[in-house]
Amino acid sequence: MSPTFFAQQPLKINQEYLLFEDAKTKEPVIIVNDSTGYRGFNFETRFKTEFPKPFQLSLFNDYQFQIDGVTYFAENGCGITLAFKNNTFTRIDNSFSHKNQYSAIPFVHDNKPHLFSGYGLFTEKNIITYYDFVTNEWLLKQTSNVESITPRSSPFFLKKDVNLYVIDYLSRRDHVLDEYIRRLDLNTFRWHKEKRINKNIPLFNITYQHNNRLQIDDKIVSFYDKIVEVDIFNNFIKTFDYSIFKNIEAIKYFQRSKMLTYVYQSNQNYYIISEPYTSLKSKLISEMPLYVSESYSIFLYGFFIVVFAFAFCYGFYKLYVSYKIKKGQLLYSVTKDLFFVNKKNPLQLSPLNKAVLKVFLAQKGSFFALHSLNDALSEDLNEDNYVTINKRRERVLKDLKFELSNVLKMPKESVFSTRSSQLDKRMKEIKINIIFREV
């Protein structure tokens, strides 16, 4: 590349301009003041022209098409169509300002200008329109499965051979995002679902303006606060710093010369300059995979489902076991000599009730002779008669049955079990149906 490009001085222009590629010479052209044009990477060639009235230059910066040596322009929103050849602009359409496809995707197929998607009349679109050189009007192109792609505007896009690739995920901010790369086969005009976008990619500070996004070889490149390269074929998205930051307003890439020409703003003035892409970008800041393969996604999805199911079942089992244990469980603190349902609230038991409960604790849930409780029910067995002790025992067991049934949420009849002794049927045995745990 000639070193003059690196030493080039920017050309100062006004805010109203039209920047495009001349389809015949493959060089940049910028029109200012409706009548003055500059061409070439150094803008040394100046010429006079006349832009069609009453149209505004800046309304034709978004949709430009190079076909058979002629540059065609469609007005933002679609409709009005111009041609540029031999430094002359001509209006060629029999149409009107549609105002129906702002921020659409412009592409050429079968030597005809096309537009996909866009925003207009308060709705986003998933339609494809094309300019018909016979009727000189924009017509609707039918697709066999248009319902498979959601309406959108200002998506990232790339055209390669007979395929148009569309990425919605990186550019939309306030709507439900399409997580998949979509591919339009231009031979059949049928949409196909491709790779799924990596959800870990941060959403960039991207506006709805087309002028700062373009295709460089087989990559989509955007120029905002950082330079972002999107490579759908090699699965990466890279972010670069500028060598010297430029507040870029509009930018074009010229495939044959590998050059960029862009308009930037500085101190409220507008300038245009050309330089190689490699001199505009600087160090690599970050790199991430653009998409995840479906097989890997399915594997991860299945893995997380299995893990979640296992965790849920295990948690439910532990909760169930804990519930079953706690339902019939008493804690006993040896150091504090207290019974608890939980570690915070001790049972408020009378001395006799507590003494009897400790007898059951010592028996560890086994049957034992009912009269063995008598030792805990009397301080002096020689003075307390048999009838008094039996009545005291019945009262204490009744109190415990009521108290334990209430705090452990179990039926009163389930607290104790009794039976006749296997050695002497005249003797009664008792056990408590509660699990004790010493803490």
Side-chain angles (χ1 to χ4, degrees):
M1 189 59 58
S2 170
T4 58
F5 291 125
F6 296 92
Q8 178 193 359
Q9 293 298 312
L11 174 67
K12 186 177 179 180
I13 61 174
N14 60 26
Q15 187 175 358
E16 186 68 16
Y17 61 84
L18 174 61
L19 173 64
F20 59 94
E21 176 184 348
D22 188 309
K24 185 176 181 180
T25 63
K26 307 299 181 186
E27 62 184 357
V29 175
I30 187 162
I31 309 297
V32 295
N33 301 325
D34 292 339
S35 60
T36 303
Y38 298 87
R39 64 166 59 251
F41 293 99
N42 289 317
F43 316 108
E44 294 177 342
T45 303
R46 180 174 176 173
F47 63 93
K48 289 293 183 180
T49 189
E50 186 175 348
F51 195 75
K53 303 293 185 182
F55 307 117
Q56 188 176 344
L57 282 172
S58 57
L59 295 181
F60 293 85
N61 270 310
D62 280 358
Y63 305 149
Q64 302 172 2
F65 314 88
Q66 286 73 38
I67 303 173
D68 291 339
V70 180
T71 303
Y72 295 94
F73 307 84
E75 183 185 29
N76 293 0
C78 191
I80 308 300
T81 306
L82 310 177
F84 177 82
K85 185 177 181 181
N86 299 326
N87 294 345
T88 301
F89 288 94
T90 306
R91 180 179 177 180
I92 62 171
D93 67 282
N94 294 322
S95 189
F96 56 93
S97 295
H98 292 184
K99 299 181 180 180
N100 193 45
Q101 282 184 279
Y102 296 98
S103 298
I105 292 177
F107 65 96
V108 174
H109 176 66
D110 196 23
N111 285 332
K112 296 184 182 70
H114 288 70
L115 293 175
F116 163 68
S117 74
Y119 180 87
L121 305 178
F122 308 103
T123 59
E124 291 185 314
K125 317 294 179 181
N126 61 355
I127 62 173
I128 298 175
T129 56
Y130 69 97
Y131 185 78
D132 182 68
F133 286 102
V134 176
T135 62
N136 291 324
E137 293 182 343
W138 287 86
L139 305 178
L140 184 66
K141 180 69 177 182
Q142 297 296 327
T143 55
S144 57
N145 60 339
V146 66
E147 71 283 351
S148 67
I149 186 164
T150 56
R152 60 196 66 197
S153 62
S154 194
F156 278 45
F157 65 94
L158 179 145
K159 183 175 180 288
K160 184 175 182 179
D161 301 326
V162 292
N163 292 292
L164 179 70
Y165 297 88
V166 178
I167 304 178
D168 183 48
Y169 192 81
L170 300 176
S171 57
R172 291 173 60 180
R173 311 296 294 182
D174 304 320
H175 308 277
V176 176
L177 301 174
D178 184 352
E179 298 176 2
Y180 290 89
I181 299 172
R182 303 287 174 168
R183 176 177 62 87
L184 178 65
D185 185 333
L186 297 176
N187 284 330
T188 61
F189 274 85
R190 183 174 181 83
W191 287 102
H192 300 271
K193 183 170 73 172
E194 300 293 318
K195 303 290 187 178
R196 187 175 188 176
I197 299 296
N198 179 6
K199 288 187 175 181
N200 293 322
I201 295 174
L203 291 177
F204 297 95
N205 183 22
I206 294 171
T207 69
Y208 287 89
Q209 184 181 3
H210 275 299
N211 293 346
N212 287 25
R213 291 204 300 268
L214 46 79
Q215 180 174 334
I216 297 181
D217 300 325
D218 289 336
K219 294 191 288 288
I220 307 167
V221 185
S222 66
F223 299 85
Y224 297 94
D225 53 339
K226 304 293 181 183
I227 299 175
V228 179
E229 288 185 358
V230 179
D231 192 327
I232 64 177
F233 303 110
N234 295 302
N235 187 26
F236 68 70
I237 180 165
K238 295 180 179 180
T239 304
F240 297 87
D241 254 333
Y242 288 89
S243 54
I244 299 176
F245 177 75
K246 301 289 181 61
N247 185 12
I248 295 176
E249 296 282 330
I251 189 165
K252 302 294 180 184
Y253 179 69
F254 299 85
Q255 176 66 36
R256 189 168 69 181
S257 59
K258 308 295 182 185
M259 292 289 293
L260 290 172
T261 296
Y262 56 91
V263 175
Y264 67 97
Q265 186 178 4
S266 177
N267 297 324
Q268 298 183 340
N269 294 315
Y270 289 82
Y271 301 90
I272 186 168
I273 194 170
S274 298
E275 65 176 303
Y277 175 46
T278 53
S279 71
L280 182 62
K281 72 175 181 179
S282 181
K283 65 179 181 179
L284 176 67
I285 298 174
S286 65
E287 179 176 357
M288 297 183 69
L290 175 64
Y291 53 78
V292 290
S293 65
E294 282 300 289
S295 58
Y296 182 66
S297 298
I298 293 172
F299 169 78
L300 284 181
Y301 181 76
F303 175 76
F304 285 123
I305 287 293
V306 171
V307 170
F308 175 79
F310 175 79
F312 176 80
C313 293
Y314 179 76
F316 180 80
Y317 169 76
K318 293 290 288 185
L319 183 65
Y320 174 76
V321 170
S322 174
Y323 170 76
K324 291 293 288 184
I325 290 175
K326 288 182 179 179
K327 187 175 181 180
Q329 175 181 276
L330 273 184
L331 305 178
Y332 175 67
S333 172
V334 179
T335 56
K336 297 180 180 179
D337 190 28
L338 292 172
F339 288 93
F340 298 82
V341 175
N342 54 60
K343 292 184 180 181
K344 295 182 178 180
N345 302 312
L347 295 184
Q348 302 299 318
L349 300 173
S350 68
L352 277 180
N353 290 359
K354 180 179 177 181
V356 169
L357 194 56
K358 290 176 70 174
V359 174
F360 284 104
L361 169 67
Q363 297 299 324
K364 301 184 184 301
S366 300
F367 278 100
F368 62 95
L370 182 61
H371 65 78
S372 299
L373 294 174
N374 293 348
D375 291 341
L377 292 166
S378 176
E379 294 181 357
D380 189 349
L381 292 176
N382 294 324
E383 294 183 3
D384 292 334
N385 59 48
Y386 180 75
V387 175
T388 301
I389 292 175
N390 278 355
K391 287 184 178 180
R392 189 178 296 161
R393 185 179 68 202
E394 290 177 2
R395 177 175 56 81
V396 168
L397 290 177
K398 182 178 179 181
D399 289 345
L400 283 175
K401 182 185 295 185
F402 178 82
E403 178 71 15
L404 296 176
S405 170
N406 184 49
V407 297
L408 296 177
K409 309 301 180 185
M410 58 189 301
K412 291 190 291 291
E413 59 272 16
S414 300
V415 175
F416 299 110
S417 293
T418 59
R419 71 180 186 184
S420 297
S421 172
Q422 296 178 353
L423 300 177
D424 186 346
K425 299 297 183 183
R426 294 172 299 174
M427 296 182 63
K428 293 291 185 182
E429 293 182 339
I430 191 170
K431 78 164 187 172
I432 193 167
N433 297 314
I434 291 173
I435 299 172
F436 291 96
R437 185 161 64 90
E438 294 185 3
V439 294

